Structure formats: structure tokens, C-alpha cells
Amino acid sequence: MDILNSTQSSEFSRALMPWALGPIRLRNRVIKSATNEGMAPRGVPTKALVQHHRSMAAGGVGMTTVAYCSVSADGRTFPDQITLNAETVKHLRVLTDAVHREGAAASAQITHGGAFNFLPQLSTRYPMSASSGFNAAGVLNGRWFKNAMTRDDMARIKQEFVSAALVAQQSGFDAIELHMGHGYLLSQFLSPKYNRRKDTFGGSAEARVRFPAEVLNAVLDAVGKTMPVICKISMFEGYKGGGTVEDAVVAAKSLSAHGAHLIVLSAGANVEAPWAIFGSQIPKGVAGATQSFMMRAATQVLQWQQPKIEFHDLYLLEAARRIRAVVDTPLAYLGGVKSIAGIEEAMRDGFEAIVMGRALIHQPDLLRGFEAGKKTRSGCTACNLCVPMMYTPGGTRCALTSVENSALNQLAACD
């Protein structure tokens, strides 16, 4: 980056200086968060996805994260989601090459949806999860029940994560982010609401983290010498019976002990408490106009249930500080960073990296503006209208600063 404005603080300057993340070096400590792009129709990464992440890299971030790359066909949450396999390598290589040309690194967030899926077909009758029984997510698509994973299932899924990480490496990604939050499979193991197992993988918070830690170990063994392996967790799930900060402290300590290079601290659950992810109200239409009647009806119920929340900067900072106090592994602060002052405060509190989402969707070159002294604060209003945009033909964008380009989102990345 250019020489920093002399009026900027040493903490802000430090955030924009090169930084070693595990086995790689980033040009700064600011990471674009994984936010569902909606730019892989039929699972094919598009030129719109390439442009989205290229713009983040050109805007100055140290690393940009491609969201929700599934480890298998059954692991997808919805049909228009990337699956990390041989067919997607050529498309993702276009993306990572574009990011690298702009001087940034690229991270692949890899995940398995578990019981949280809206696929028209599965290879099994019911989706898998930590425990069997009623499937809350299934209310959205009529898949009312789920099966508890057996030990054989766990071994197979663990290998799927390893295989996906290797595909990401082949595709030119610099880092792997294991999604252990927001209600996906690994977080279903962490959650006391979802995980009611009676074996060594359920019960206490220490037991519930065992399978996610096994996945972390396996991915570290496969790629960890050359790629940082990041874990993203929910510090609290935000609904009755869900995971608490106390649970997250246990999980973070375990993931740290098992060698995670970085832990990204998020919150919330997609189905039960999406507002906790964003720290503000979820707008109407979040299910998307093309979704089923049942899904749209269920999201309307969530509209009625969500508490009155007013957005404020750094809305997850108090919870994150509790984990910072007891974990030595590098931690990334996420949640309401919209200004130079916010970056400075998170850096002063000892967080090694800053993760930003909506503010960069609103203005991909925000960091350049901060650096040049042209801005001190993002114009993002936290309206969350970018969230339902993922279901539009053009994919995720800021409703205030951009226009839809659906044509670009119909062109495969390598075409």
C-alpha cells in the first residue's frame, strides 16, 4: 500500500503493515469476510464472482474469502453453491489468479451444511447432523427429520474436508477457512441445541468440539505446512438453548491447542437467529422471491420473532474480548468494523486481524480511502439489503452503491 497518512494512528498503521499468518505472509491484517456471493449458478463460479473478489483485492485488503465452498454434493446448502471438485478448479484458478495480480491472497471457506440444506435431492433419505430427530432447518423445505452421524460417517466427512482443502490448494487458494459457525455441520456438533449425543462427541462443551477438532487436525495434516488453516466460530448462537460465549471459550481453547492458525470470531445461527450474525434487523425478502412458499413463510415467521436490534459499531467486541483473554492463538475480530476508529480499537484490544464484510460490499476500495485520508468511516448503513441480493440474478451487491449485472453472473469464470 501507499505511505500512510501521517495523521493516522500507530494502531491503524500496524493494521496495514505486512503480517505473517501461519506459513504465508499477507500485505496487511484486513480480511474480506466470507459473505454468500450468490455467484455460482448451478455450482459454476462466474465472471461476476471473479470480479467481486478482484475488486476486494484491488481495494487493498490483505486477503479475500470465497464463501461457502461445499466439500461434497450432499454438503451443499442450496443447488447454486460451489462444490470443491475437479470441475471447479479451472474456474477458481481464474479467480485466485485475478486476486494475486492485485497483490492480495485468497482464502476458500469450506463447509458442509449437515441438516441445514435446501437441496431438491440427497443421496440419503434424511440429512446428517450431530444428532437425530426433528430438523428445525427442514421446516423451510419440508425435510423435517435428520439422522445422527455414525463414526463411519464422521470419518468419511472428515476425508471430504481434506479432499476439498486439496482441491482449494490446487485452485490456487492461499488459505483454508473451516466454517464452524452459523448453523452448518461443524457448528451443529458445537451447539448444545443440535448436539445431544451420548457418546464421546456429545455432552460437555469439551466433548462437542472433538469432531470439529478432528477435522481441523486432518486438514492441517494435509495442507497446514503451506497454507494457514482458519476456523470460524459463533461466539454465541443467539437463541434459547443455543451455544453461549462460555461454550465458545471452550471451543476456541481446543481449536487453539490443536493448531489453528487463526480463529475468526462471529456469532449467530442462520435459521434460528440470523440477526445475531449481523447485529441488526433482517429485511423482508431475505428468502428470495424464487424460494419455495414454505421457505418464504418460515422467514416471515423469523421477521416476527426477531428482537428489536439497533446496529452499533463493534457489536461483537465484548464477547470477543472474553475469548481474547484466554486464548493465545491469533484471533480475527469481526462484527461492525466500519471506521478507522473501529480498526484502531480492535487492534488495541489485541486482535491480530480485522475481518470486514458489509462495509467492503458497500465500497470495495474503502481501505484505500482510509489510507489516503479521504474517509474515516464507511457509508454502509447496515440496512442488510445486501443479504437478499444473494438470491437475485446478479448476486450479492450493495443496494445503495451498485447496480445489478446479471449477464456477468451467467458467464463461467474461465469462458
Side-chain angles (χ1 to χ4, degrees):
M1 287 194 169
D2 300 331
I3 297 173
L4 293 171
N5 187 309
S6 61
T7 64
Q8 293 165 348
S9 76
S10 60
E11 292 297 345
F12 183 73
S13 299
R14 187 162 65 91
L16 296 188
M17 292 175 66
W19 172 56
L21 172 58
I24 69 171
R25 192 167 181 82
L26 301 180
R27 65 182 175 186
N28 62 51
R29 296 171 182 262
V30 180
I31 300 172
K32 165 61 176 67
S33 68
T35 49
N36 189 359
E37 303 97 348
M39 297 175 185
R42 300 168 300 283
V44 179
T46 63
K47 292 186 183 299
L49 185 67
V50 174
Q51 172 59 22
H52 178 80
H53 287 283
R54 188 207 63 79
S55 70
M56 299 299 168
V61 299
M63 184 162 70
T64 184
T65 312
V66 178
Y68 302 131
C69 299
S70 178
V71 302
S72 66
D74 274 5
R76 295 171 298 162
T77 299
F78 43 81
D80 293 337
Q81 182 178 355
I82 296 169
T83 302
L84 286 168
N85 55 29
E87 287 71 34
T88 56
V89 170
K90 60 184 179 182
H91 301 290
L92 293 172
R93 174 62 75 169
V94 174
L95 186 154
T96 57
D97 285 348
V99 168
H100 293 155
R101 283 194 297 270
E102 298 292 347
S107 176
Q109 183 188 70
I110 65 176
T111 186
H112 189 296
F116 181 36
N117 76 74
F118 311 118
L119 300 174
Q121 291 182 324
L122 287 173
S123 66
T124 56
R125 183 178 181 185
Y126 300 119
M128 295 184 300
S129 185
S131 297
S132 60
F134 174 70
N135 180 19
V139 173
L140 302 178
N141 67 343
R143 200 165 276 145
W144 293 76
F145 300 100
K146 56 189 177 182
N147 283 335
M149 289 173 61
T150 65
R151 195 65 182 100
D152 286 345
D153 292 329
M154 294 162 73
R156 176 171 50 81
I157 297 299
K158 180 168 60 177
Q159 184 56 47
E160 288 180 357
F161 272 91
V162 168
S163 297
L166 292 170
V167 169
Q169 185 179 54
Q170 183 183 358
S171 302
F173 283 99
D174 305 280
I176 298 295
E177 181 178 282
L178 301 175
H179 201 340
M180 299 183 178
H182 299 174
Y184 299 96
L185 179 64
L186 296 181
S187 67
Q188 290 164 27
F189 272 83
L190 293 173
S191 172
K193 184 75 170 183
Y194 276 82
N195 186 344
R196 301 182 306 280
R197 300 176 73 100
K198 304 300 183 183
D199 60 8
T200 57
F201 296 96
S204 67
E206 290 81 2
R208 296 196 304 272
V209 74
R210 283 193 178 119
F211 178 57
E214 281 191 3
V215 172
L216 170 61
N217 282 344
V219 174
L220 282 168
D221 287 345
V223 301
K225 290 183 179 180
T226 57
M227 302 176 76
V229 181
I230 303 164
C231 297
K232 184 174 186 176
I233 65 171
S234 288
M235 295 182 289
F236 57 87
E237 292 189 288
Y239 63 94
K240 186 177 181 180
T244 64
V245 177
E246 290 76 16
D247 295 319
V249 165
V250 173
K253 283 183 175 180
S254 176
L255 298 172
S256 174
H258 284 274
H261 291 107
L262 179 71
I263 301 174
V264 177
L265 303 175
S266 186
N270 278 313
V271 173
E272 292 87 353
W275 47 84
I277 300 174
F278 302 104
S280 52
Q281 300 289 114
I282 303 301
K284 292 182 178 180
V286 73
T290 62
Q291 301 299 315
S292 68
F293 170 79
M294 186 172 290
M295 185 172 180
R296 284 185 280 117
T299 54
Q300 181 60 60
V301 172
L302 282 176
Q303 287 284 322
W304 297 332
Q305 290 179 339
Q306 69 177 330
K308 296 295 182 182
I309 300 177
E310 290 190 12
F311 176 88
H312 62 86
D313 286 12
L314 307 180
Y315 57 89
L316 295 179
L317 188 56
E318 290 305 315
R321 283 171 172 162
R322 292 177 62 182
I323 296 179
R324 174 74 290 169
V326 297
V327 173
D328 294 329
T329 288
L331 299 177
Y333 177 76
L334 179 158
V337 179
K338 294 178 57 179
S339 65
I340 291 176
I343 292 173
E344 292 171 342
E345 185 167 359
M347 292 297 294
R348 280 195 300 270
D349 280 351
F351 296 98
E352 285 82 2
I354 308 297
V355 181
M356 301 174 70
R358 287 167 290 180
L360 293 176
I361 293 173
H362 176 80
Q363 183 182 350
D365 65 351
L366 178 64
L367 278 184
R368 299 292 190 194
F370 285 169
E371 180 188 14
K374 296 179 180 179
K375 280 181 172 287
T376 60
R377 183 175 181 81
S378 168
C380 174
T381 63
C383 66
N384 294 331
L385 290 174
C386 54
V387 179
M389 290 294 177
M390 71 180 70
Y391 298 109
T392 62
T396 298
R397 62 181 178 86
C398 178
L400 305 179
T401 62
S402 64
V403 295
E404 184 174 84
N405 188 344
S406 57
L408 200 64
N409 204 28
Q410 296 301 315
L411 299 174
C414 69
D415 286 351

